């Protein structure tokens, strides 16, 4: 991790209440079949192996924050994704994406003009799961049809101004 946040009591106060695989609760559980589709059935991807635990009822719990008191704010994998996204050539972007894949113990892939954005989105979905960063990627590329049949509008990417801020807005 390049930058992180240390939170005293993270394990007891937050993760024990949110990150466990019980689909009947308000925990942060994910559908096991969806994760297998995203990461591959017999994957060697270390994110799949270490960030999830099989629960009950076809759900998995997101375990990446369950232990310890440290939340990453900026990871090397995220930097590689940003570099790939902003690269000036396909070859450069492919190099960054394949470096990330190698770090995550999955085989490098052939990346070209036709599949670059799909591969970039796939790696963002894997690398940033449970972090909220995928929202900003989708906002940057103005993606309107999200996985899970979710349709977005451009205005969905603009968060409302808090009422407290409007109270102090000078009038013209």
């Amino acid at each position: 991790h390049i930058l992180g946040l240390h939170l005293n009591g993270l394990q007891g106060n937050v993760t024990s209440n949110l990150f466990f695989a019980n689909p009947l609760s308000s925990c942060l559980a994910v559908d096991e079949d969806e994760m297998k589709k995203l990461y591959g059935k017999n994957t060697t991807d270390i994110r799949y192996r270490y960030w999830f635990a099989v629960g009950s009822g076809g759900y998995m719990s997101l375990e990446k924050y369950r232990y310890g008191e440290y939340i990453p704010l900026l990871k090397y994998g995220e930097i590689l994704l940003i570099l790939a996204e902003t690269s000036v050539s396909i070859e450069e972007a492919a190099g960054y994406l394949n470096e990330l894949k190698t770090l995550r113990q999955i085989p490098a892939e052939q990346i070209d003009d036709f599949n670059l954005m799909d591969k970039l989105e796939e790696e963002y979905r894997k690398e940033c799961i449970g972090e909220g960063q995928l929202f900003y990627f989708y906002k940057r590329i103005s993606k309107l049809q999200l996985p899970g049949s979710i349709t977005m509008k451009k205005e969905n990417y603009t968060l409302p101004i808090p009422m407290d801020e409007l109270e102090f807005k000078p009038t013209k």
Side-chain angles (χ1 to χ4, degrees), residues 21-120:
N22 180 354
L24 301 176
S25 72
S26 60
C27 74
L28 299 175
V30 292
D31 183 270
E32 186 174 2
D33 292 335
E34 289 300 315
M35 290 302 97
K36 285 180 180 177
K37 276 192 251 178
L38 179 60
Y39 288 93
K41 288 188 179 184
N42 296 311
T43 186
T44 59
D45 191 322
I46 61 171
R47 296 170 291 198
Y48 182 81
R49 291 193 338 236
Y50 295 112
W51 289 358
F52 300 95
V54 177
S56 61
Y59 288 88
M60 300 176 80
S61 61
L62 185 58
E63 297 283 309
K64 66 196 271 188
Y65 303 123
R66 189 171 179 91
Y67 304 103
E69 298 188 347
Y70 182 81
I71 294 179
L73 298 178
L74 185 61
K75 304 178 304 189
Y76 184 63
E78 188 179 345
I79 295 294
L80 290 172
L81 289 169
I82 292 167
L83 288 168
E85 185 180 349
T86 58
S87 292
V88 295
S89 71
I90 296 298
E91 295 78 20
E92 184 180 37
Y96 291 125
L97 282 175
N98 283 325
E99 181 179 347
L100 176 61
K101 288 175 174 286
T102 300
L103 290 171
R104 301 302 180 244
Q105 299 179 1
I106 51 178
E109 292 185 78
Q110 183 66 36
I111 296 170
D112 55 35
D113 286 333
F114 300 106
N115 69 2
L116 173 61
M117 289 309 291
D118 290 339
K119 296 297 179 185
L120 192 57

Side-chain angles (χ1 to χ4, degrees), residues 134-148:
L134 190 57
F135 171 84
Y136 298 104
F137 171 70
Y138 286 151
K139 180 178 180 176
R140 284 192 301 276
I141 65 170
S142 300
K143 187 161 178 109
L144 300 178
Q145 191 61 48
L146 305 184

Side-chain angles (χ1 to χ4, degrees), residues 11-31:
Q11 209 311 222
N13 296 331
V14 178
T15 59
S16 61
N17 295 323
L18 293 176
F19 298 98
F20 54 89
N22 180 354
L24 301 176
S25 72
S26 60
C27 74
L28 299 175
V30 292
D31 183 270

Side-chain angles (χ1 to χ4, degrees), residues 64 75 81 124-134:
K64 66 196 271 188
K75 304 178 304 189
L81 289 169
Y124 262 108
R125 289 183 66 206
K126 291 177 185 179
E127 187 70 20
C128 299
I129 192 163
E131 297 176 10
Q133 294 303 320
L134 190 57

